[in-house]
Amino acid sequence: MHRTDLLPIGELAARTGVAVSAIRFYEEKGLIASLRTAGGQRRFLRADTRRLSFILIAQQMGLSLDEIAAELARLPSERTPNAADWRRISTGLRARIDGQIAALKLARRRLYHCHCFLR
């Protein structure tokens, strides 16, 4: 691995738009990992830009940090999710969303029927 393959935390933050504090938080949660210089400074792999992007998108899709960690743990060591991984993840998420929609529709019907009794 070359020194140019490693990014300081500030550069990773600038490339991804993720705050340094959030990167530290994701590292603390085990979602990304840093290497340390002799002086103790964090260095990240260039691939961590894609890993952070995955984390952000997965959160926007409704996955919890625990679910994201589980998905990342299913990947070979330090690999970022690819198109096949996304298909698998989105299929599972789609099923969960469909269940939530069905539950919300049922709740809406029940609320409507309760309203009719109050007239």
Side-chain angles (χ1 to χ4, degrees):
M1 179 178 327
H2 299 289
R3 285 178 56 109
T4 57
D5 292 336
L6 300 176
L7 303 173
I9 194 168
E11 188 173 339
L12 182 62
R15 287 178 180 226
T16 60
V18 176
V20 169
S21 59
I23 293 172
R24 287 185 186 124
F25 174 77
Y26 293 140
E27 182 182 17
E28 182 181 303
K29 295 294 183 184
L31 300 176
I32 60 172
S34 67
L35 304 170
R36 297 295 179 131
T37 66
Q41 296 177 333
R42 289 174 171 88
R43 294 293 186 259
F44 293 89
L45 299 174
R46 288 188 181 278
D48 286 325
T49 58
R50 291 187 304 277
R51 200 169 177 91
L52 277 174
S53 295
F54 169 77
I55 293 166
L56 295 174
I57 292 167
Q59 283 182 301
Q60 290 173 350
M61 292 175 60
L63 273 70
S64 69
L65 290 180
D66 288 340
E67 290 169 317
I68 293 168
E71 291 298 338
L72 290 171
R74 293 176 68 178
L75 300 175
S77 180
E78 300 305 315
R79 183 170 70 73
T80 58
N82 61 26
D85 299 320
W86 267 116
R87 277 191 295 279
R88 179 182 46 74
I89 293 165
S90 66
T91 298
L93 186 58
R94 192 174 317 121
R96 187 171 87 189
I97 290 170
D98 288 344
Q100 290 171 334
I101 289 170
L104 287 170
K105 285 181 176 180
L106 177 61
R108 182 178 57 194
R109 281 194 305 273
R110 288 179 176 167
L111 283 172
Y112 174 77
H113 291 298
C114 289
H115 175 67
C116 291
F117 290 119
L118 298 175
R119 290 185 181 178

